[in-house]
């Protein structure tokens, strides 16, 4: 049997199923119909890490968490949206506390190899939000920032030192790539997590304090005969 490549996880929206704002699945096409080869299934689960976070915007009028975003953001076509906001501005913090964090877990139904994806639009806006993002997994991975200069993204992508903007007011246009990080797994992987915070206590009553980052289509290889 030959390994199959899947490079459009959730680009083909007919195969990506968002069952709620906290759960979704993607199943590749059966490689040989009803034959012995098996499709691959990815499960996505999103959970609150703290008590001062909600999915969607702060006013409760929109929730695109785990939804496919149409168009191109950070060079990624039709990326997956992670969308969240604080419940109370008074409980926000300038430090990376779990009260302001969600964790999204991606789990494959069997090991995959050569997994690569990008996290786009990591940025900040004064008196609104400051993205902080980390990836964790039992499998080793490498990462590269599109802009690692002093004015670009800071951090190494760990929970202790997440990727984050260089200042509290460093917005990134949807057409730009300087808020991007690319993650590459170096061996077989079955699961990884994306930790996502708001790392600023600053707020404004006139601003809806929601924040978004986006996940590019996953590129990977899997064994359809396993």
């Amino acid at each position: 049997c030959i390994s199959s490549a899947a490079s459009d996880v959730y680009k083909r929206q007919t195969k990506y199923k968002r069952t709620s704002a906290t759960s979704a699945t993607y199943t590749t096409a059966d490689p040989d119909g009803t034959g012995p080869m098996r499709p691959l299934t990815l499960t996505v689960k999103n959970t609150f890490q703290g008590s001062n976070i909600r999915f969607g915007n702060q006013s409760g009028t929109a929730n695109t968490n785990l939804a496919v975003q149409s168009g191109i953001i950070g060079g990624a076509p039709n990326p997956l949206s992670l969308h969240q906001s604080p419940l109370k501005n008074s409980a926000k913090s300038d430090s990376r506390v779990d009260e302001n964090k969600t964790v999204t877990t991606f789990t494959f139904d069997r090991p995959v190899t050569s997994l690569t994806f990008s996290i786009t639009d990591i940025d900040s806006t004064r008196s609104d939000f400051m993205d902080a993002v980390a990836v964790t997994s039992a499998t080793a991975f490498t990462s590269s920032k599109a802009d690692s200069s002093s004015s670009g993204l800071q951090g190494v992508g760990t929970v202790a030192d997440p990727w984050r903007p260089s200042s509290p007011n460093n917005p990134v246009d949807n057409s730009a790539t300087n808020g991007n990080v690319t993650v590459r797994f170096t061996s077989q992987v079955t699961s990884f997590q994306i930790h996502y915070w708001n790392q600023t206590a600053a707020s404004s009553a006139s601003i809806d304090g929601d924040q978004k980052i986006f996940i590019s289509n996953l590129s990977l290889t899997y064994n359809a005969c396993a």
Side-chain angles (χ1 to χ4, degrees), residues 34-221:
T34 58
M37 293 196 291
R38 297 195 295 130
L40 176 75
T41 296
L42 167 66
T43 301
V44 185
K45 295 283 188 181
N46 196 293
T47 59
F48 299 110
Q49 190 74 20
S51 59
N52 189 46
I53 200 77
R54 64 179 295 167
F55 299 115
N57 65 2
Q58 200 168 20
S59 61
T61 58
N63 188 341
T64 62
N65 193 58
L66 297 189
V68 174
Q69 179 81 28
S70 61
I72 296 177
I73 299 179
N78 305 312
L80 188 70
S81 171
L82 299 186
H83 183 196
Q84 62 190 40
S85 59
L87 286 172
K88 295 181 180 179
N89 288 332
S90 59
K92 291 166 61 179
S93 172
D94 289 330
S95 62
R96 293 179 286 277
V97 296
D98 286 350
E99 292 301 302
N100 301 306
K101 183 170 76 172
T102 62
V103 179
T104 306
T105 301
F106 296 73
T107 304
F108 301 96
D109 65 353
R110 59 190 183 279
V112 302
T113 57
S114 304
L115 174 62
T116 302
F117 62 90
S118 292
I119 302 170
T120 74
D121 202 40
I122 301 174
D123 62 355
S124 59
T125 301
R126 181 177 288 116
S127 298
D128 190 356
F129 68 88
M130 185 172 182
D131 292 333
V133 184
V135 171
T136 59
S137 177
T139 304
F141 60 89
T142 63
S143 65
S144 58
K145 295 178 284 192
D147 183 358
S148 58
S149 69
S150 59
S151 60
L153 293 180
Q154 309 300 300
V156 296
T158 63
V159 172
D161 188 17
W163 298 300
R164 58 196 184 275
S166 60
S167 72
N169 190 42
N170 194 357
V172 173
D173 190 83
N174 283 350
S175 62
T177 60
N178 54 310
N180 290 12
V181 171
T182 298
V183 177
R184 296 179 178 87
F185 281 84
T186 55
S187 58
Q188 286 190 334
V189 57
T190 56
S191 181
F192 66 92
Q193 299 77 39
I194 295 178
H195 299 243
Y196 186 25
W197 297 266
N198 187 342
Q199 193 189 313
T200 181
S203 63
S204 169
S206 63
I207 297 175
D208 191 317
D210 62 337
Q211 58 183 148
K212 290 183 182 181
I213 55 173
F214 301 88
I215 316 302
S216 71
N217 289 294
L218 279 61
S219 176
L220 56 91
T221 299

